[in-house]
């Protein structure tokens, strides 16, 4: 299952497959008709409202920032975590992954603040996770993280908007980006460009469902200029102005093939928030573009893992899961804040396994 703090509605893949959900094998599974109060009122925060399929069922369509999508029927079944209870989700019969990486995904867990998210349905006041730099380890913890080996978390408050605005996602985990520091240099950015405008455009969201981090055009360009300045002589530019990775990443480089890691000495990029910082360094700064080679196969193509929101287009800053790797992230819904602490997530997983 994909853990997505940027989405509300969880879904299970109901297409035929060995790891997919088979609703006909469940005696407690049911679907919602379009006329049901759940379909008409509980779906108000979904970006796209449900429509009635030919059967009269509550048909939902879900789309994501990377171009992926899923659609199916609003359904319910008994979910057993702390105790068995009815849970609402989408039973998906059609899905599309823009990267192909999630073609065998069983489903997605929606964890934002909307009424249909898993944490809202469960009434969970706090949850935390740790995303490893390896694919086979990671931690999701529902409730208090009273762990003696966890460093004290630095918290930043969630940003709330009292009035609905067209480009502000009210159910996202929105925080205030105060600035960006590259090594010891703070980018010269006006405060106004980092704050939501009168339409709500320009909010900063912590989103585990988005792979990389996106910055609005002026901030992205400032980071690009400073990063290129500080890596001159360390990184070799791709030298192809027209090259775009995933349609939004154009700061790319040639790295000797077979090295297995990015060059040493890259400047750390620090995202600054009131009361907290998230540092991005080393291998998390660059991502190898699969299938792209240069110099007769002697060089691989790597791109900086910060994208330009204006090219997507997306009217927001998004802190993706790649830059949350090896960081303990806590969502305190009751306290209205998000906390961060650096940690080795593979080690945390082993320690939690010993505890539970």
């Amino acid at each position: 299952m994909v853990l997505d703090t940027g989405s509300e509605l969880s879904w299970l893949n109901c297409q035929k497959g060995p790891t997919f959900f088979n609703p006909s094998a469940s005696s407690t599974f049911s679907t919602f008709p379009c006329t049901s109060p759940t379909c008409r009122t509980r779906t108000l925060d979904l970006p796209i409202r449900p429509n009635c399929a030919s059967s009269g069922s509550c048909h939902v369509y879900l789309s994501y920032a990377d171009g992926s999508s899923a659609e199916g029927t609003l359904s319910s079944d008994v979910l057993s975590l702390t105790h068995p209870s009815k849970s609402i989700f989408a039973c998906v019969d059609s899905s599309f992954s823009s990267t192909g990486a999630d073609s065998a995904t069983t489903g997605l867990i929606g964890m934002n603040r909307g009424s249909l998210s898993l944490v809202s349905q469960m009434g969970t006041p706090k949850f935390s996770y740790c995303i490893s730099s390896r694919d086979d380890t990671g931690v999701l913890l529902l409730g208090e993280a009273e762990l003696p080996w966890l460093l004290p978390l630095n918290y930043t408050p969630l940003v709330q908007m009292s009035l609905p605005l067209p480009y502000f996602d009210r159910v996202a985990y929105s925080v205030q980006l105060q600035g960006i520091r590259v090594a010891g240099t703070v980018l010269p950015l006006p405060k106004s460009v980092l704050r939501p405008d009168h339409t709500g455009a320009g909010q900063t969201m912590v989103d585990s469902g988005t792979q990389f981090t996106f910055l609005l055009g002026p901030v992205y360009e400032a980071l690009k200029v400073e990063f290129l300045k500080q890596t001159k002589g360390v990184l070799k530019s791709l030298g192809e102005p027209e090259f775009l990775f995933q349609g939004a990443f154009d700061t790319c480089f040639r790295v000797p093939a077979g090295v297995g890691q990015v060059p040493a000495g890259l400047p750390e990029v620090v995202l600054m928030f009131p009361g907290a910082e998230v540092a991005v360094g080393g291998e998390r700064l660059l991502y190898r573009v699969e299938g792209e080679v240069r110099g007769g196969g002697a060089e691989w193509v790597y791109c900086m893992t910060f994208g330009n929101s204006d090219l997507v287009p997306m009217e927001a800053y998004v802190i993706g899961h790649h830059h949350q790797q090896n960081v303990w992230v806590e969502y305190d819904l009751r306290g209205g804040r998000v906390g961060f602490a650096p940690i080795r997530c593979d080690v945390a997983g082993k320690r939690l396994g010993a505890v539970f």
Side-chain angles (χ1 to χ4, degrees):
M1 300 279 287
V2 174
L3 177 69
D4 190 355
T5 59
S7 296
E8 176 177 357
L9 186 62
S10 301
W11 56 265
L12 287 170
N13 197 329
C14 295
Q15 303 171 78
K16 291 182 179 180
T19 63
F20 298 161
F21 178 65
N22 180 9
S24 64
S26 171
S27 61
T28 51
F29 174 83
S30 62
T31 60
F32 291 96
C34 273
T35 54
S36 67
T38 298
C39 184
R40 289 188 284 110
T41 62
R42 294 288 297 279
T43 59
L44 293 176
D45 288 326
L46 296 181
I48 302 173
R49 294 300 307 279
N51 62 72
C52 287
S54 57
S55 62
S57 60
C58 188
H59 192 81
V60 292
Y61 180 83
L62 307 166
S63 61
Y64 304 96
D66 66 355
S68 299
S69 62
E71 58 182 306
T73 305
L74 194 67
S75 311
S76 73
D77 208 335
V78 175
L79 172 69
S80 295
L81 288 174
T82 54
H83 58 273
S85 61
K86 276 284 188 178
S87 182
I88 301 169
F89 60 95
C91 190
V92 163
D93 52 32
S94 175
S95 62
F96 167 75
S97 172
S98 62
T99 63
D102 300 330
S103 59
T105 296
T106 302
L108 177 144
I109 307 175
M111 298 287 280
N112 74 8
R113 295 189 286 175
S115 68
L116 288 176
S117 74
L118 180 66
V119 288
S120 295
Q121 291 191 59
M122 292 182 60
T124 304
K126 186 180 291 186
F127 70 94
S128 51
Y129 58 69
C130 196
I131 301 171
S132 176
S133 56
R134 298 169 56 192
D135 291 337
D136 60 344
T137 55
V139 170
L140 169 63
L141 187 62
L142 302 174
E144 289 285 348
E146 296 178 349
L147 307 170
W149 39 263
L150 182 63
L151 291 174
L153 277 76
N154 292 315
Y155 291 94
T156 190
L158 290 170
V159 174
Q160 309 280 0
M161 285 287 180
S162 56
L163 296 174
L165 298 173
Y167 292 108
F168 191 90
D169 187 344
R170 295 184 300 108
V171 295
Y173 295 104
S174 183
V175 295
Q176 181 56 62
L177 181 62
Q178 277 192 327
I180 298 177
R181 189 171 68 247
V182 183
T185 302
V186 177
L187 299 183
L189 301 168
K191 297 294 184 184
S192 58
V193 77
L194 298 173
R195 297 184 177 277
D197 63 19
H198 66 283
T199 69
Q203 75 181 114
T204 300
M205 298 180 285
V206 185
D207 182 4
S208 66
T210 297
Q211 185 175 13
F212 300 116
T213 292
F214 289 86
L215 306 173
L216 291 182
V219 177
Y220 171 78
E221 289 299 329
L223 173 61
K224 176 180 178 179
V225 168
E226 185 61 32
F227 188 78
L228 290 175
K229 176 183 175 182
Q230 293 196 27
T231 57
K232 188 176 182 179
V234 178
L235 289 172
K236 179 183 177 182
S237 174
L238 178 62
E240 300 174 20
E242 73 286 355
F243 183 84
L244 273 180
F245 170 56
Q246 292 188 359
F249 301 83
D250 64 0
T251 307
C252 301
F253 308 92
R254 298 176 182 227
V255 175
V259 172
Q261 60 183 11
V262 301
L266 298 182
E268 190 175 63
V269 177
V270 178
L271 305 173
M272 304 158 63
F273 309 97
E277 294 184 344
V278 173
V280 180
E283 293 186 359
R284 291 187 295 155
L285 286 166
L286 299 178
Y287 185 82
R288 183 189 168 195
V289 183
E290 290 290 339
E292 293 288 343
V293 294
R294 300 294 187 273
E299 296 171 316
W300 286 338
V301 175
Y302 280 77
C303 293
M304 186 172 68
T305 51
F306 292 85
N308 188 341
S309 293
D310 293 0
L311 297 178
V312 177
M314 180 167 49
E315 301 291 335
Y317 300 95
V318 179
I319 313 302
H321 71 246
H322 191 76
H323 292 168
Q324 298 177 47
Q325 290 178 352
N326 291 323
V327 177
W328 190 276
V329 185
E330 179 186 272
Y331 295 80
D332 183 358
L333 284 73
R334 187 171 293 164
R337 59 184 187 169
V338 180
F340 305 95
I343 195 170
R344 277 277 304 278
C345 291
D346 55 342
V347 174
K350 291 177 181 177
R351 286 178 170 174
L352 277 171
V355 171
F356 295 106

